């Protein structure tokens, strides 16, 4: 017989519904190309509306991030590349799964991407990265180009064969290809020039003659157009930025006109990723633009733009372009701060900071360990549209100076790989730290020197190509006092090198204890790669903060010569553990959260999974409140992208097997700050994960909540918030309350084969339940996409059995206990079972098993406290008693026989309540007063060492 779940669905009709905020957005997903989802997308011409995601994001359109023809051409080029690496072809094939999704209704991009990651066919999902051009327009002060002489460009030109044509891809706002300084430098695509078989001009015949996916791209491509979407073959500039950048790199020389570019023989490929609008500064479709530049054959690609956040998709495209033989040069950014800018900070991209004419760091330039080199970016005079010239400032200007130098090096050393070209430029840089001492090591190897870069042939560079951290016990959790070893792989990129040394030093406030902080590895041959196991060993210090990002600086060098500097990071003393000892894998942190420690990124933890399922829980959090204004919790806040941090960790969660329970038990303690917005509590949390086969589909969470406010509570509520995501991003989910079995559950109504999840209150307190549509419409269905306010949290956990079923959408639920009366310093236990099953039968069996386990081990008992030091009568409640039941709470320091009796005011016994043995603990006894008349009495609790008495009044 198949058991069924019985939801109660409540339909409400409101005259006016206020709609919660819905946000349009753009995300990138990478779909597994072997998956069913990819087949659907491909069958729809990669313009699929993804009904699987309905309820999370709606009014959806999609397109490939990179068009198929461009990937085919990249594959052809990669096959012929001397830089072909193991796995490169496999990686390029997977890029056909990169999909851009635009939606008009849904939560913020960060939330959408994070939820989409849970889909089993999606490899990763991320908000679409925003990039901006990195320039600062300015008025002219000088009418010449002093930086050319300072970087010794004139002397470098004498070393370059005049027939050397290097192609520089200018991925920017477009180029004025009619400018007198640039028209002879513009690259003409041989596959789209000349006549076709019918005698028509290939430039205008409306045919993709070279079959690269771009029609008539005879002099580049416009990836942005007027609106960021309408592409064409006319990369004429909107903003003058790209023309200025192009002139810096490769304006024509010896033409008796205007200026000279850094690389006199280079050709320019216009790749427009800025709008036609002349004041636009945003970047559009830069992924395709960058890969297009590589496919066309750009030896150097200049990216004078960027942004703070990294992107997995962008990093993959960058790595592919480098594998295809392109050197990528990018601006370090203009925030004037120690931050990374992307794409400049990606591996093997040359990140360029800006210098003023006196070789000091420009005030606007970013600086960091990820900066590779510096050059001039202040008062740079270059071309602008309509045969004119102007000054601009910015790392946008420094980047094409370096791109021009890279073109010179490529011309001089045509067989060098992109990494070798970058290292040659860095190894031949001039020292500038004597006047930039404050920015020591933050401006790369120094100031680029074009002449040295093309003339010095015995340059040396050894770099760290990979590393691995291994903790002492091998569990991957790096904790206080633990020994950690660091394996290194180093690569000698250029000439043979002697006496190589590697040093390590901390870059964090909390410093580890190194066994050795310097090692010597001797000599290396050109192109040699060497693995160094256990290169360094260190011990993590005590008293370090939780989830601490520890940083190390590693320097490779010889004598006083520095070859490479890498900043390594690791997370130390994580405040979360993943319990995966039965069919469930659940992450629990030390501050009341379930599934993940770092909402909304959801990178710290493994979520909530049944067997090998995808993640089923996007966010779980404890919430405890005593009034609409005083709620302590760790759930999302009024800003849906920000987590509330009301709880402070008192002890980090532990994990230990208990033979008495035949279960793994996790224990942690945390408290709120007890300020005016907090409940005023301390919590002892325990996790129980049984390893009995019959108990494999549940965990039990107990919360012993102590009133630390100093005042009594007449209405404390404590509950759990669950944002379930079963199946595709939580779409087509419904949460309901089964009144027959007394638990809340979540099910995907579109796919029967997906697991069912649920939660039950185990302790005997009043129950509250609320089912939410995450895109709720306000009023009785508040929703959480527009944030989750303190008042909303109070309402949903204190409203009784308020809303027993949600709609069919992306959903959440709250299950709570309360109201609970507590005196100051009292403790109340609230216990929950959290469950999952492959079907209705399995989750019902899990529910019954959880109830039996809790009863067997006394986990469903309401009150708990550590034994008192002496026998004591703690409370008689309520007193006076308005009804027939009064509750006596007493504590025993040791095991004792206890008798409880009631006397009238004359001293005669009127009721013998009980006489039995009790263990040391705090005990609560309910006493039936129904057989006693109204009046005053004495209650006596007699133990083996004490007689405790208190006056009681019955006034019903």
């Amino acid at each position: 017989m198949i058991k069924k779940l019985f939801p109660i669905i409540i339909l409400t009709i409101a005259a006016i519904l206020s709609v919660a905020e819905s946000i349009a957005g753009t995300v990138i997903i990478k779909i597994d190309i072997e998956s069913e989802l990819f087949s659907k997308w491909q069958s729809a011409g990669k313009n699929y509306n993804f009904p699987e995601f309905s309820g999370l994001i709606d009014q959806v359109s999609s397109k490939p991030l990179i068009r198929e023809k461009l990937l085919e051409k990249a594959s052809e080029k990669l096959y012929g590349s001397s830089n072909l690496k193991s796995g490169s072809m496999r990686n390029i094939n997977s890029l056909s799964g990169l999909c851009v999704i635009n939606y008009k209704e849904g939560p913020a991009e960060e939330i959408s991407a994070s939820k989409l990651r849970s889909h089993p066919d999606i490899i990763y999902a991320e908000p679409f990265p925003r990039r901006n051009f990195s320039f600062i327009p300015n008025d002219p002060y000088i009418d010449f180009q002093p930086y050319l002489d300072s970087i010794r460009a004139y002397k470098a030109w004498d070393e370059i064969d005049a027939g050397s044509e290097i192609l520089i891809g200018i991925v920017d706002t477009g180029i004025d290809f009619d400018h007198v300084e640039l028209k002879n430098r513009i690259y003409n695509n041989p596959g789209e020039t000349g006549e076709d078989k019918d005698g028509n001009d290939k430039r205008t015949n409306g045919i993709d003659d070279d079959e690269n996916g771009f029609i008539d791209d005879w002099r580049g491509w416009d990836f942005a157009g007027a609106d960021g979407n309408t592409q064409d073959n006319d990369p004429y500039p909107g903003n003058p930025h790209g023309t200025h950048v192009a002139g810096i790199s490769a304006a024509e020389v010896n033409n008796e006109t205007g200026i000279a570019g850094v690389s006199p023989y280079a050709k320019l490929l216009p790749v427009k990723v800025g709008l036609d609008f002349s004041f636009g500064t945003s970047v559009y479709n830069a992924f395709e633009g960058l890969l297009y530049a590589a496919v066309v054959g750009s030896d150097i690609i200049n990216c004078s733009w960027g942004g703070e956040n990294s992107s997995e998709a962008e990093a993959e495209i960058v790595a592919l372009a480098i594998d295809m033989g392109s050197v990528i040069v990018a601006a370090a950014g203009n925030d004037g701060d120690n931050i990374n800018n992307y794409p400049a900070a990606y591996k093997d991209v040359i990140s360029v900071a800006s210098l003023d004419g006196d070789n000091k760091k420009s005030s606007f330039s970013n600086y960091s360990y990820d900066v590779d080199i510096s050059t001039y970016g202040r008062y740079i005079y270059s071309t602008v549209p309509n045969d004119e010239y102007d000054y601009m400032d910015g790392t946008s200007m420094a980047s094409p100076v370096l791109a021009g130098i890279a073109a010179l090096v490529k011309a001089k050393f045509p067989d060098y790989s992109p990494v070798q070209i970058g290292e040659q430029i860095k190894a031949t840089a001039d020292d500038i730290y004597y006047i930039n001492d404050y920015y020591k090591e933050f401006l790369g190897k120094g100031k680029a020197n074009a002449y040295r870069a093309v003339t010095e042939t015995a340059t040396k560079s050894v770099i760290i190509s990979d590393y691995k951290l291994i903790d002492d016990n091998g569990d991957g959790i790096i904790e206080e006092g633990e020994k950690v070893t660091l394996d290194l792989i180093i690569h000698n990129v250029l000439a043979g090198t002697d006496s190589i040394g590697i040093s390590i030093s901390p870059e964090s406030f909390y410093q580890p204890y190194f066994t050795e902080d310097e090692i010597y590895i001797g000599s290396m041959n050109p192109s040699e790669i060497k693995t160094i196991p256990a290169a360094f060993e260190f011990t993590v210090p005590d008293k370090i903060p939780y989830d601490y990002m520890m940083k190390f600086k590693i320097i490779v060098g010889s004598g006083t010569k520095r070859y490479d500097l890498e900043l390594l990071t690791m997370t130390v003393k994580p405040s979360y553990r993943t319990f995966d000892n039965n069919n469930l894998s659940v992450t629990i942190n030390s501050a009341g959260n379930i599934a993940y420690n770092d909402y909304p990124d959801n990178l710290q933890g493994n979520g909530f999974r049944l067997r090998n399922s995808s993640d089923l829980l996007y966010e779980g959090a404890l919430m405890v409140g005593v009034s609409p204004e005083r709620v302590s919790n760790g759930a999302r806040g009024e800003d849906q992208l920000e987590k509330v941090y009301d709880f402070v960790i008192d002890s980090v969660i532990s994990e230990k097997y208990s033979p008495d329970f035949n279960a793994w038990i996790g224990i942690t303690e945390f408290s709120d700050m007890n300020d005016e917005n907090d409940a005023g509590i301390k919590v002892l949390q325990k996790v129980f994960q049984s390893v009995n086969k019959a108990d494999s589909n549940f965990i039990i969470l107990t919360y012993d909540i102590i009133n630390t406010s100093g005042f009594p509570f007449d209405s404390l509520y404590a509950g759990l918030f669950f944002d379930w995501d079963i199946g595709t991003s939580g779409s087509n989910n419904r949460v309901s309350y089964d009144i027959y079995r007394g638990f809340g559950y979540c099910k995907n109504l579109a796919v029967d084969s997906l697991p069912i999840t649920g939660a039950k209150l185990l302790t005997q307190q009043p129950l509250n339940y609320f089912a939410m549509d995450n895109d709720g419409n306000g009023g009785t269905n508040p929703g959480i996409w527009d944030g989750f306010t303190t008042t909303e949290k109070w309402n949903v956990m204190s409203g009784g059995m308020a809303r027993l079923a949600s709609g069919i959408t992306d959903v959440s639920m709250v299950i709570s206990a309360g109201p609970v009366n507590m005196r100051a310093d009292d403790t109340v236990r609230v216990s929950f079972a959290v469950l999952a099953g492959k079907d209705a039968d399995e989750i019902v069996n899990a529910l019954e098993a959880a109830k039996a386990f809790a009863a067997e081990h006394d986990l469903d008992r309401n009150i708990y406290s550590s034994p008192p030091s002496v026998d004591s009568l703690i409370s008689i409640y309520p007193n006076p008693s308005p009804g027939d039941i009064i509750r006596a709470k007493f504590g025993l320091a040791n095991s004792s026989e206890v008798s409880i009796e009631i006397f009238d005011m004359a001293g005669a016994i009127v009721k013998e309540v009980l006489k039995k043995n009790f263990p040391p603990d705090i005990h609560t006894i309910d006493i039936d007063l129904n057989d006693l008349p109204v009046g005053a009495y004495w209650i006596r609790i007699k133990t083996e060492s004490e007689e405790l008495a208190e006056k009681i009044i019955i006034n019903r």
Side-chain angles (χ1 to χ4, degrees):
M1 177 178 175
I2 298 176
K3 300 181 178 70
K4 296 183 179 180
L5 303 176
F6 299 91
I8 298 296
I9 303 175
I10 297 177
L11 302 178
T12 60
I13 301 175
I16 300 176
L17 298 178
S18 59
V19 180
E21 180 183 4
S22 187
I23 301 172
T26 305
V27 294
I28 297 172
I29 62 173
K30 187 176 184 182
I31 308 172
D32 183 347
I33 60 174
E34 303 294 331
S35 69
E36 180 183 357
L37 189 66
F38 181 82
S39 298
K40 291 180 179 179
W41 184 48
Q42 195 168 42
S43 298
K46 292 193 172 181
N47 187 23
Y48 187 49
N49 63 359
F50 292 101
E52 296 91 343
F53 305 157
S54 177
L56 173 66
I57 51 176
D58 292 300
Q59 298 189 52
V60 171
S61 62
S62 65
K63 65 178 182 179
L65 182 67
I66 306 294
R67 66 195 68 191
E68 204 67 35
K69 277 286 186 182
L70 187 57
L71 288 175
E72 289 175 9
K73 289 295 181 181
S75 298
E76 293 172 10
K77 185 174 178 63
L78 197 59
Y79 266 125
S81 171
S82 60
N83 296 302
L84 184 62
K85 299 178 181 178
S86 175
S88 293
M89 291 310 302
R90 180 180 67 251
N91 293 339
I92 195 172
N93 291 337
S94 75
L95 295 182
S96 62
L98 286 173
C99 169
V100 180
I101 291 179
N102 291 286
Y103 60 91
K104 293 184 178 179
E105 292 183 1
E109 292 172 349
E110 292 84 352
I111 300 291
S112 297
S114 189
K115 283 178 171 282
L116 287 167
R117 288 183 204 128
S118 67
H119 192 284
D121 293 345
I122 293 178
I123 297 171
Y124 62 73
E126 60 189 13
F128 196 95
R130 268 58 177 180
R131 301 293 185 240
N132 294 288
F133 296 105
S134 304
F135 73 107
I136 304 173
N138 209 333
D139 295 326
Y141 285 91
I142 53 175
D143 57 0
F144 54 96
Q145 298 171 272
Y147 61 90
L148 288 176
D149 185 51
S150 184
I151 64 171
R152 304 183 73 185
Y154 305 130
K155 293 194 68 175
W157 295 346
D158 295 336
E159 304 296 325
I160 304 301
D161 185 346
S164 302
E165 278 200 1
I166 303 300
L167 181 60
I168 303 176
I170 303 295
V171 183
D172 214 288
T173 63
I175 300 175
D176 179 0
F177 31 73
D178 293 324
H179 197 290
V180 65
E181 295 275 28
L182 303 175
K183 61 184 180 181
N184 295 326
R185 313 280 6 117
I186 300 298
Y187 169 81
N188 288 332
N189 178 3
E192 293 285 354
T193 52
E195 293 184 351
D196 63 17
K197 60 182 176 59
D198 297 320
N200 298 317
D201 189 340
K202 288 184 179 179
R203 297 177 302 176
T204 57
N205 65 356
I207 298 172
D208 181 11
D209 295 286
D210 59 357
E211 297 184 342
N212 68 350
F214 301 88
I215 296 173
D216 298 339
D217 61 322
W218 64 281
R219 56 181 175 187
W221 193 256
D222 181 355
F223 285 87
D227 58 4
N229 293 304
T230 308
Q231 302 183 16
D232 55 52
N233 73 331
D234 182 12
Y236 192 84
N239 192 301
H241 184 270
T243 303
H244 197 273
V245 165
I248 295 170
S249 284
E252 191 166 0
V253 298
N254 292 330
N255 62 346
E256 298 181 350
T257 304
I259 65 166
V262 174
S263 182
Y265 309 118
K267 289 289 188 178
L268 296 164
L269 173 67
V271 182
K272 182 171 173 286
V273 293
L275 297 176
D276 295 345
F277 178 53
S278 61
F279 296 102
T281 60
S282 294
V283 174
Y284 296 85
N285 301 314
F287 300 94
E288 270 205 317
L290 194 149
L291 187 58
Y292 172 83
V295 166
V296 169
S298 299
D299 301 288
I300 317 296
I301 299 174
N302 185 79
C303 302
S304 288
W305 43 268
E308 277 193 52
N309 298 321
S310 64
S311 157
E312 289 189 69
E314 189 174 55
E316 287 198 79
I317 301 301
V318 164
L320 175 58
I322 294 171
D323 283 351
M324 291 164 62
S326 296
V327 177
I328 301 179
V329 182
N334 294 337
D335 303 284
D337 206 348
N338 185 352
I339 56 176
N340 288 337
N341 204 48
Y342 296 91
Y346 292 129
K347 182 175 173 57
D348 296 331
V349 175
I350 304 175
S351 175
V352 189
S354 174
L355 301 174
D356 292 347
D358 58 2
N359 290 332
K360 292 182 179 178
K361 185 192 81 73
S362 301
S363 59
F364 53 76
S365 179
N366 287 350
Y367 55 95
S368 76
Y369 284 132
D370 279 306
V371 168
D372 295 300
I373 197 81
S374 299
T375 192
Y376 298 104
R378 171 82 79 176
Y379 302 141
I380 303 299
Y381 195 60
S382 185
T383 50
V384 292
N386 302 317
D387 287 341
E388 294 184 359
Y389 306 84
D390 204 350
Y391 291 93
M392 290 188 188
D393 293 339
T395 54
S396 266
M397 285 59 253
S399 184
V401 171
L402 201 285
I405 295 174
L408 296 174
V409 176
K410 178 66 176 178
K412 183 67 176 180
F413 304 106
D415 295 330
Y416 272 14
S417 70
V419 173
Q420 287 177 308
I421 290 172
E423 292 304 310
Q424 175 73 8
I425 294 170
K426 289 186 270 184
T428 55
D430 295 334
D431 178 40
I432 54 171
Y433 286 117
Y434 67 96
I435 57 171
N436 288 283
D437 186 62
Y438 180 79
Y439 302 103
K440 184 91 172 156
E441 297 177 337
F442 291 133
L443 299 175
K445 292 291 186 66
K447 182 185 72 175
N449 185 317
Y451 178 66
R452 290 182 62 193
V454 299
T455 57
E456 295 184 13
T457 57
T459 49
K460 300 176 181 181
S461 179
V462 182
I463 64 174
I464 298 169
S465 60
D466 204 357
Y467 70 94
K468 184 178 181 181
L469 289 161
I470 305 169
D471 62 312
D472 200 26
N473 61 13
D475 65 358
I477 300 171
I478 300 175
E479 300 176 279
E480 290 180 333
E482 191 169 19
K483 183 189 292 183
V484 181
T485 58
L486 172 64
D487 296 351
L488 292 176
I489 299 176
I490 61 172
H491 179 199
N492 185 21
V493 178
L494 297 172
T497 310
D498 297 322
S499 304
I500 300 170
I502 307 176
S503 65
I504 188 168
S505 58
E507 284 289 301
S508 308
F509 178 81
Y510 294 91
Q511 301 185 6
Y513 308 108
F514 292 101
T515 304
E516 290 183 277
D517 59 7
E518 192 168 5
I519 61 172
Y520 295 91
I521 61 171
S523 62
M524 290 184 72
N525 297 320
S527 301
E528 182 181 356
I529 296 174
K530 185 175 290 189
T531 299
I532 310 172
F536 295 101
E537 294 184 355
F538 58 89
T539 302
V540 178
D542 296 330
K543 298 181 180 178
I544 200 166
Y546 299 113
D547 305 310
Y548 187 69
M549 293 300 294
M550 185 172 282
K551 299 178 181 179
F552 309 96
K553 180 174 65 178
I554 301 181
I555 295 178
V556 182
S558 179
T560 59
K561 181 69 174 178
R562 189 193 91 195
Y563 296 141
D564 192 21
L565 185 156
E566 294 289 338
L567 189 69
L568 309 185
T569 62
M570 66 179 188
T571 301
V572 177
K573 195 179 173 183
S575 64
Y576 53 94
R577 298 289 186 272
T578 295
F579 293 79
D580 54 3
N581 307 291
N582 58 23
N583 288 340
L584 295 181
S585 176
V586 188
T587 297
I588 308 290
N589 78 351
S590 303
N593 288 106
I594 309 169
Y596 294 101
N597 185 56
D598 60 334
Y599 172 90
D601 295 333
N602 286 5
L603 301 175
Q604 297 177 2
N606 194 45
F608 181 95
R609 301 170 192 267
L610 175 67
R611 299 182 181 92
N612 296 316
S613 76
S614 59
D615 185 22
L616 305 172
L617 180 61
Y618 180 60
E619 182 189 4
L622 174 69
M623 304 192 304
V624 182
V626 295
S627 74
E629 297 79 26
R630 296 179 59 191
V631 176
S632 297
N633 71 105
R636 73 187 71 183
E638 294 186 27
D639 183 334
Q640 64 167 323
L641 296 179
E642 292 185 2
K643 179 181 181 294
V644 175
Y645 290 93
D646 285 339
F647 294 125
V648 178
I649 300 171
D650 297 322
S651 64
V652 74
I653 190 166
S654 62
E655 184 181 9
K656 184 178 180 179
Y657 174 73
S658 168
D660 293 337
F661 286 78
N662 195 18
W664 287 82
I665 301 178
I667 302 175
T668 185
E669 293 183 68
F670 49 91
S671 308
D672 63 23
M673 299 298 290
N674 203 1
D675 65 19
E676 61 181 5
N677 297 314
D678 289 333
I681 58 168
K682 179 180 179 71
V683 180
L684 171 63
Q685 171 185 289
K686 291 185 178 180
V687 185
F688 297 86
Q689 187 172 44
S690 174
V691 296
N692 288 327
K693 185 175 181 180
D695 299 334
S696 291
N697 286 34
F698 68 83
I699 62 167
I700 290 177
L701 299 170
T702 66
Y703 301 96
D704 295 337
I705 302 169
I706 305 168
N707 178 1
T708 60
S709 70
F711 301 95
F713 296 147
D714 60 3
S715 55
L716 177 135
Y717 293 85
L720 293 176
F721 162 72
F722 297 97
D723 181 357
W724 298 112
D725 277 0
I726 300 176
T728 305
S729 313
S731 302
N732 300 305
N733 283 194
R734 170 181 277 165
V735 287
S736 306
Y737 188 77
D738 183 339
I739 60 172
Y740 296 96
R741 295 181 177 88
F743 80 114
Y745 67 94
C746 182
K747 180 175 173 56
N748 187 304
L749 297 188
V751 185
D752 284 338
S753 60
L754 290 172
I756 303 170
T757 60
K760 177 177 177 59
L761 175 66
L762 295 170
T763 40
Q764 300 302 306
Q765 292 123 343
L767 175 68
N768 305 267
Y769 184 84
F770 197 99
M772 283 192 288
D773 301 353
N774 288 355
D775 58 350
N777 51 29
T780 59
N781 182 18
I784 55 174
W785 282 0
D786 58 348
F788 200 9
T789 68
T790 300
T791 300
E792 287 172 336
K793 291 170 182 175
W794 170 261
N795 289 341
V796 296
M797 71 175 171
S798 69
M801 306 301 285
R803 190 171 189 257
L804 301 188
S806 70
I808 304 172
T809 180
D810 181 27
V811 298
S812 298
M813 76 183 196
V814 173
I815 185 167
S816 67
V820 175
N821 297 316
M822 297 179 69
R823 290 188 177 186
D825 301 321
D826 263 1
T827 300
V828 64
R829 169 174 290 173
V830 181
S831 299
F832 299 92
V834 187
L835 325 154
K838 66 181 180 181
D839 52 30
D841 275 347
E842 193 168 88
I843 197 168
V844 168
N845 290 338
L847 175 66
E848 296 304 317
K851 289 161 59 179
F853 183 89
E856 177 186 356
H857 298 290
D858 209 22
L859 302 180
D860 53 359
R861 183 164 55 88
N862 291 2
I863 301 297
Y864 170 86
S865 184
S866 57
S869 57
V870 296
D871 295 352
S872 59
L873 176 57
I874 297 172
S875 66
I876 302 293
Y877 184 85
N879 189 19
S881 172
D884 294 332
I885 300 294
I886 197 166
R887 177 169 292 177
K889 183 177 179 183
F890 60 93
L892 298 179
N894 300 289
S895 295
S896 174
E897 182 181 71
V898 176
S899 64
I900 302 178
E901 301 165 317
I902 298 177
F903 298 81
D904 62 21
M905 297 307 291
I909 295 177
V910 295
K911 187 177 183 69
E912 293 182 351
V913 178
L914 62 78
K915 187 173 186 179
K916 62 180 289 188
N917 290 317
F918 287 88
D921 205 338
I922 292 179
H923 302 277
T924 302
I925 300 296
D926 287 342
I927 302 170
D928 187 353
L929 303 178
N930 187 55
D931 53 346
L932 296 179
V934 171
Y937 301 86
W938 285 94
I939 183 170
R940 183 181 72 177
I941 300 176
K942 185 177 180 180
T943 73
E944 292 175 4
S945 60
E946 297 285 347
E947 286 193 19
L948 311 167
E950 184 169 324
K951 185 178 180 180
I952 61 173
I953 296 174
I954 303 174
N955 65 356
R956 69 178 86 92

